[in-house]
Amino acid sequence: KLESRIHEVRENLADAFEISEGVTIPAGDYQWTYYCVEASSGQHRAISFSGWACDGDFYDGRLRSVSPALAWRPNMHFLLAASYEVNDVDLPYGSFTTRQSSLQADIAFTSTWYWENLIQYDNVSDNIGINSIMRWVPLAGRELLLVVNHELSDPLEHRDFEASGSEILLKFYYTLRY
């Protein structure tokens, strides 16, 4: 599948804001257009890909962005996927690049019980986030989740990550029908 899109954006900033370290966009009314091309293969295949590339205006400057993704699904119970996103932004007030990497691993034990895992890293926060969800859906409208979130940070940017936060949540959803 191949698609193209045109995005028309208008934003009115009441106050200036720092979009990236040392790069502040002044308050004002902004309007811009950017163009994207998206491509993907069938997600039902053993190996699939998707991705997009965008280019165009962004506030008073330019945005170029690309994001490829690759997935491997050897059978209906297992998925392993990786993606990468890069945004290059050039503004009169400064330039910056953001990068985000993701790795996903999902296992479906049965049609009602599955385990979803996501690991992400981005160069802005210099954090690695780990999210793991064990999900049980015995009936439609009823769901039990065990969620584990863990964050590793690299405050000195030496690739020496240390634990900076964790949480374990147990959630139960029950839909009342009347």
Side-chain angles (χ1 to χ4, degrees):
K1 176 173 121 173
L2 185 63
E3 293 181 14
S4 62
R5 296 179 187 212
I6 299 172
H7 297 268
E8 296 279 342
V9 181
R10 181 172 183 200
E11 190 164 350
N12 189 346
L13 301 178
D15 297 313
F17 80 98
E18 189 174 48
I19 192 167
S20 183
E21 188 174 332
V23 181
T24 300
I25 297 177
D29 192 27
Y30 296 91
Q31 192 168 349
W32 66 89
T33 303
Y34 64 98
Y35 308 89
C36 297
V37 175
E38 301 174 30
S40 65
S41 64
Q43 301 298 307
H44 62 284
R45 301 192 185 281
I47 296 178
S48 61
F49 75 91
S50 62
W52 48 262
C54 297
D55 190 7
D57 301 328
F58 185 69
Y59 291 99
D60 288 335
R62 185 158 201 88
L63 167 71
R64 283 173 296 290
S65 161
V66 65
S67 179
L70 184 65
W72 176 52
R73 186 183 295 276
N75 58 50
M76 60 189 265
H77 299 286
F78 184 74
L79 169 72
L80 183 63
S83 65
Y84 185 68
E85 181 179 334
V86 178
N87 297 291
D88 285 319
V89 179
D90 292 316
L91 299 168
Y93 331 107
S95 299
F96 60 94
T97 300
T98 64
R99 293 179 181 85
Q100 179 177 299
S101 304
S102 299
L103 184 61
Q104 175 184 350
D106 298 343
I107 301 170
F109 301 107
T110 68
S111 62
T112 61
W113 182 38
Y114 42 101
W115 186 22
E116 303 167 345
N117 297 281
L118 180 67
I119 299 173
Q120 286 187 323
Y121 169 79
D122 73 86
N123 69 316
V124 175
S125 67
D126 279 314
N127 286 347
I128 295 174
I130 302 168
N131 174 256
S132 185
I133 301 173
M134 186 68 71
R135 187 181 307 262
W136 180 52
V137 185
L139 296 169
R142 296 179 187 158
E143 188 172 11
L144 179 66
L145 291 90
L146 175 64
V147 181
V148 177
N149 293 315
H150 188 67
E151 188 174 323
L152 302 165
S153 63
D154 182 21
L156 301 176
E157 299 182 22
H158 295 315
R159 301 293 177 244
D160 186 22
F161 291 91
E162 56 190 45
S164 58
S166 294
E167 67 180 352
I168 298 174
L169 305 166
L170 185 62
K171 299 179 179 183
F172 179 70
Y173 297 99
Y174 188 95
T175 303
L176 297 173
R177 298 171 199 244
Y178 51 93

